[in-house]
Amino acid sequence: MTTPALQAPRGPVTRKDVARYAGVSTAVVSYVVNGGPKKVAPATEAKVQDAIRRLGYRPNAAARALKLGSSETIGLVIPDNSNPFFSLLAHAVEDAAAELGYALLLTNSDGNLAKELRHVRNLAARQVDGVILSSVLMEPGLTDLESAEIPVVLLNHSADAPGFNSVGVDLVAGAKSAVEHLIGHGHTNIALAMGTNTGNYYDGREEGWLQALAGAGLPEGPIVRTPFTREGGYAAGKRLLAAASRPTAIFATSDLQAVGILRALHEAGLSIPNDIALASFDGSAEAEYSWPPLTTVKQPAKAMAEAAVSALIGAHRGRESEHLIFPADLQIRQSCGCP
């Protein structure tokens, strides 16, 4: 027969219930749950953890946040987590945050400025410890976060943002390396499938394309501007195939666009890369498993995510803001003409 001291409570489990079950004080339970400030003997901690598990105790996050002055939560705003690159980036941010004991609130702006602003306001109202923002604008509106004194890091942001931490990749150098590789295969008419966004800000991938062509003494190829989506790539491919001077190679500014272009080329009965070569940007899994596998410029998502989380936590400690740019890596596969 179970003694009253060991009976599981009928209502919501409290810290007192755990303390009574483990035969310790509520202060000891608090030290175990919060990891301090005082040390607990291993045997005692094991008893408390056993009581927590058996009773199904869940600490009150709101009360903990009030006590610590921290929600231990980071907000993340990205354009679209159905895009494999942003899905990879968000997962890496979540892992990096968890390593430091923070939970993640993920929101999608769908590349829409109004949605982005609404998500930023909502995260500020929830008093998150910081926000990582992949914005549709070169200079996003951060008034709500600034007034709430919530630090922010701009992620996937290639331009310097004075006064803010930002993390991005060298778009110009990455795109240039891909187009130069296509030129190395003998192509002289290289088209650009340029992604569009709400902000319509300058994109270094177009500059990289231009620099590679100019460096080889080649004229600019045709440009088609469509969304950073499979549908956008498909439309770009159809338009480029209908051009008076059909290109022999295409550089797409995202893997998703390239996947759409592949469909358009396959439907036209063309061979890739024999009839038209193709290279893209991002380095997502879709690039590796498309047919043929895509030559792509890979962004270091894990390193970028870890840098963004580190910068965000560092902002709490008075660390100076900085602009971090990572190099991109050209991954050679079959779509460009390499064996």
Side-chain angles (χ1 to χ4, degrees), residues 7-27:
Q7 285 181 340
R10 295 181 180 179
V13 180
T14 67
R15 192 168 297 182
K16 287 182 179 180
D17 296 320
V18 175
R20 185 165 56 249
Y21 196 103
V24 299
S25 69
T26 55

Side-chain angles (χ1 to χ4, degrees), residues 58 180 332:
R58 296 290 180 270
E180 286 177 340
I332 306 299

Side-chain angles (χ1 to χ4, degrees), residues 11 19 48 105 238 240 284-285 287 299:
V48 173
L105 283 176
K238 301 279 278 188
L240 288 171
S284 67
Q299 300 196 60

Side-chain angles (χ1 to χ4, degrees), residues 215-241:
L218 297 175
E220 295 178 19
I223 302 178
V224 176
R225 303 181 190 278
T226 58
F228 285 102
T229 61
R230 299 175 186 86
E231 295 82 4
Y234 181 67
K238 301 279 278 188
R239 285 163 60 183
L240 288 171
L241 290 178

Side-chain angles (χ1 to χ4, degrees), residues 22 24 32 46 58 96 110 131 137 158 168 182 204 217 223 227 229 246 276 282 288 298 300 302-303 319 327 339:
V24 299
V32 172
R58 296 290 180 270
D110 296 324
V131 171
L137 295 178
S158 60
L182 292 173
I223 302 178
T229 61
R246 195 178 78 187
I276 295 184
D282 277 343
E288 185 176 0
K298 184 175 182 178
K302 184 175 185 293
R319 190 192 303 171

Side-chain angles (χ1 to χ4, degrees), residues 18 112 316:
V18 175
N112 181 283
H316 279 293

